[in-house]
Amino acid sequence: MTTVNPRRRTVQAADAPAPAEAPNPVDEDGLQHFKVAEAAAKLGMSKRWLAGQAADRAVPCTYISGQLRFTADHIRAISKAGEVMPPQYRRAG
């Protein structure tokens, strides 16, 4: 004889709640903050190098509640700072 536990119910696909989505880091102004690992991956750098440069205030960054973050503008500025342009590609003036 098999007993059925009235408290236990199998969840059907239709009954299952939708998976909770991670909060979107983009606010209404389109501002997005990247963690060190995300910014380092975009730059092709190590997390350690990027965090060290930020701690030395050698690259633009922001701290939100003590957490190091980078915006897209910060990442672009870091990339631009290392840019080398040959003379034939430089703008006049």
Side-chain angles (χ1 to χ4, degrees), residues 21-93:
E21 293 183 20
N24 189 351
V26 179
D27 67 12
E28 62 277 354
D29 295 329
L31 183 62
Q32 181 175 5
H33 291 89
F34 298 94
K35 294 180 181 180
V36 177
E38 296 166 328
K42 289 182 178 297
L43 290 165
M45 308 274 178
S46 72
K47 296 183 294 186
R48 184 176 179 164
W49 179 88
L50 186 57
Q53 292 294 303
D56 291 342
R57 304 299 194 252
V59 295
C61 61
T62 189
Y63 286 89
I64 300 173
S65 296
Q67 300 293 314
L68 178 60
R69 296 290 187 259
F70 298 88
T71 64
D73 288 336
H74 292 149
I75 295 169
R76 283 187 201 97
I78 295 167
S79 178
K80 187 82 170 161
E83 187 174 274
V84 177
M85 292 294 276
Q88 66 266 29
Y89 295 107
R90 292 185 190 149
R91 292 183 193 176

Side-chain angles (χ1 to χ4, degrees), residues 2 9-10 27 39 54 72 80 86:
T2 306
R9 185 185 104 165
T10 57
D27 67 12
K80 187 82 170 161

